[in-house]
Amino acid sequence: GVLAIEAVGDAKSSSAVIDSGAIVSAGSVQIKSPRAAQIRDNARISVDGALSLVSSLDDSGSEAVVGNRVQIQATDVKISSPRKVSINEGAWIWLSGDGELVSGNEAVVNKNVSINVTGNFRMEAADAGQCQISSSAQISAGSTSGNCF
């Protein structure tokens, strides 16, 4: 089925989190917070359908983050925030569909990240100058789109 994690309460300090080391298997996963939507270090996520990681508040410090050494296997992934989206060091993402890493400000793929997408991988930041892809990151996709490529 669907695993939905949504932050409630104070929009300026709320977080929706899959914690470090968690192992999650679900039909789909939705993680949503005004402030911080996070999959923390060393988590392993297996999703039959789509995973969405969304921060919605347009405020400094708002972010959607995939932590260090996180492993994600899914059909589709959407990671978005008006401020910052990042996939951190050593993360591994395998998608049999499409992927999106979209930010209104800054989009980051850190070192030793491996992203394998059968379909389209879209990476975009409102200001293309705020796109960062580490030279040691590997992105393989059927096609790419967005202003970060």
Side-chain angles (χ1 to χ4, degrees):
V2 176
L3 172 62
I5 301 170
E6 187 167 350
V8 296
D10 180 10
K12 295 245 180 204
S13 63
S14 64
S15 296
V17 174
I18 291 181
D19 213 352
S20 297
I23 298 173
V24 175
S25 181
S28 65
V29 174
Q30 301 166 354
I31 305 164
K32 183 177 180 183
S33 173
R35 182 71 166 181
Q38 303 172 338
I39 300 173
R40 293 193 176 150
D41 299 352
N42 301 307
R44 294 188 325 205
I45 315 294
S46 178
V47 181
D48 292 334
L51 180 145
S52 67
L53 183 64
V54 178
S55 167
S56 57
L57 185 66
D58 190 5
D59 190 20
S60 65
S62 296
E63 60 186 8
V65 177
V66 173
N68 296 323
R69 297 169 304 284
V70 167
Q71 296 179 17
I72 297 172
Q73 184 172 351
T75 301
D76 301 302
V77 166
K78 176 182 179 180
I79 302 168
S80 67
S81 172
R83 284 297 188 187
K84 181 178 182 180
V85 293
S86 65
I87 300 174
N88 288 335
E89 185 174 342
W92 177 88
I93 298 174
W94 188 89
L95 307 175
S96 59
D98 298 321
E100 285 190 7
L101 186 64
V102 178
S103 173
N105 190 38
E106 183 178 6
V108 178
V109 175
N110 283 301
K111 65 184 180 177
N112 300 319
V113 168
S114 179
I115 300 172
N116 186 337
V117 181
T118 302
N120 184 64
F121 183 66
R122 177 177 170 231
M123 184 172 170
E124 189 161 329
D127 175 2
Q130 294 295 326
C131 296
Q132 300 172 27
I133 301 173
S134 171
S135 61
S136 65
Q138 297 179 350
I139 299 174
S140 172
S143 62
T144 57
S145 61
N147 63 0
C148 292
F149 293 108

